[in-house]
Every structure is written in C-alpha cells, then in structure tokens.
C-alpha cells in the first residue's frame, strides 16, 4: 500500500503522562491540544513521516493551581517554549509493534527518544464512511534531561516530583481526503 496522509481524530485520541508524586503515588495528566503530520502506510510505518506538536499550555492534570505551576518557568515555561515536538527519524517493525526513534524537544532541549508503538488496526468508520487507523504507544524520559528540574524536599524524605516521566498516547487517525 502507498503512503497517504492521515489526520488526528482529536475526539478519539489522547496524549498523556504520569510521574511519581510524593514518592508514594502518581500524578497524571493530559495535553488537550496536539496535532500530528503523518504520511504513512498504516499497516507498515517503517518509512513513515511523523511530526507531532503538543501545545504546552493545554496541560491538564485536573488541578488548576498545579497546571499553572507546570506552565510556569519552574517547569515547562510555556510562554517561552509553547510546544513539545517529536520528529520520527528511524522506525523498526516487529509484528504489529514498532520502535519509533526520533528527536523529542521539550523546553528548547532536543534529545533522542524511542516510542514503543502498537498498530491497533484499521477499519471503515460506519458513521462517516472514511478509513480510520488506531495506534497506541509510550516512552519514558528523565525530565531533568530536558531542563525540568524544579522539585521540593519532603519532611519524610524524598522529593515531591519523580524524575522519570511516562508519556503515553492513543491515536485514532483518519485517512485524509
């Protein structure tokens, strides 16, 4: 099959994250505004062109005070670094799974990252009639490598925010007309 352009169905897609909180639980959230430029054969991503852009200001942890702190210069500095980006550079396939290696840029710092991605399938949308494809994936990064170094010590020992952040996504893509 030939490479085609795909658009993100934002109503059926999500970009999320989780990080250790107070050494005992996880804080979770999403980025509500994101987009991707994807040119690919959905059943074989190995030569796909993938560029993802996430609007940092759209962070949503269901706690407005925390979200505002995360947008501040202590963390993402959304005013000066409004986007997180990922550009795929090398894609390897193993069954329905892929290793998607590329450049992840957070707060002006670009580092290599590898997303483990699963092709969930392809179908015809019974409502709109178009072709849709599903993908899920995740990676883990050390937030300090991207300049996200703010933290606070706990009276009981340890720190408020863990270093390792798990990023996950569920994407439903629509074949562009």
């Amino acid at each position: 099959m030939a490479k085609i352009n795909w658009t993100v169905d934002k109503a059926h897609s999500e970009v999320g994250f989780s990080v250790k909180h107070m050494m005992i639980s996880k804080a979770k959230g999403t980025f509500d505004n994101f987009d991707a430029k994807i040119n690919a054969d959905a059943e074989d991503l190995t030569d796909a062109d993938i560029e993802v852009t996430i609007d940092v200001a759209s962070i949503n942890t269901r706690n407005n005070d925390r979200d505002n702190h995360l947008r501040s210069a202590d963390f993402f500095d959304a005013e000066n670094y409004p986007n997180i980006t990922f550009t795929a550079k090398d894609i390897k396939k193993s069954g329905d799974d892929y290793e998607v290696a590329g450049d992840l840029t957070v707060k002006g710092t670009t580092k290599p990252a590898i997303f483990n991605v699963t092709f969930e399938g392809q179908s015809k949308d019974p409502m709109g009639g178009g072709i849709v494809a599903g993908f899920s994936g995740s990676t883990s990064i050390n937030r300090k490598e991207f300049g996200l170094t703010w933290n606070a010590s706990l009276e009981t020992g340890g720190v408020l925010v863990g270093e390792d952040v798990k990023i996950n996504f569920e994407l439903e893509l629509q074949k562009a007309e």
Side-chain angles (χ1 to χ4, degrees), residues 16-92:
F17 62 91
S18 63
V19 63
K20 200 79 149 168
H21 181 251
M22 294 182 56
M23 311 292 293
I24 59 168
S25 64
K26 292 182 182 166
K28 295 180 179 183
T30 59
F31 290 96
D32 293 338
N33 296 325
F34 58 91
D35 206 358
K37 292 179 185 176
I38 301 171
N39 183 264
D41 172 349
E43 295 187 22
D44 184 4
L45 292 180
T46 53
D47 68 343
D49 300 311
I50 302 170
E51 293 179 23
V52 178
T53 302
I54 298 168
D55 176 5
V56 171
S58 74
I59 197 164
N60 182 355
T61 64
R62 299 181 318 270
N63 180 305
N64 196 48
D65 289 340
R66 178 172 48 209
D67 294 346
N68 286 332
H69 190 204
L70 290 168
R71 290 180 192 110
S72 78
D74 281 348
F75 282 97
F76 287 107
D77 194 3
E79 188 175 321
N80 292 308
Y81 303 99
N83 296 313
I84 296 170
T85 61
F86 177 78
T87 303
K89 298 291 185 191
D90 184 46
I91 304 170
K92 294 182 173 64

Side-chain angles (χ1 to χ4, degrees), residues 108-121:
T109 299
T110 303
K111 299 274 185 186
I114 297 175
F115 282 84
N116 297 308
V117 177
T118 299
F119 173 54
E120 302 291 353

Side-chain angles (χ1 to χ4, degrees), residues 97-171:
D97 296 327
Y98 296 88
E99 255 189 22
V100 181
D103 292 334
L104 178 65
T105 302
V106 178
K107 199 175 178 181
T109 299
T110 303
K111 299 274 185 186
I114 297 175
F115 282 84
N116 297 308
V117 177
T118 299
F119 173 54
E120 302 291 353
Q122 189 169 263
S123 182
K124 184 174 181 180
D125 181 350
M127 304 304 281
I131 302 298
V132 297
F135 294 90
S136 62
S138 65
T139 193
S140 290
I141 63 167
N142 182 315
R143 66 185 180 88
K144 288 186 173 183
E145 292 179 2
F146 293 91
L148 303 172
T149 58
W150 184 92
N151 222 332
S153 297
L154 301 174
E155 285 182 22
T156 56
V159 291
L160 183 62
V161 184
E163 288 184 23
D164 295 323
V165 179
K166 183 173 183 178
I167 302 168
N168 53 70
F169 66 85
E170 300 285 337
L171 293 179

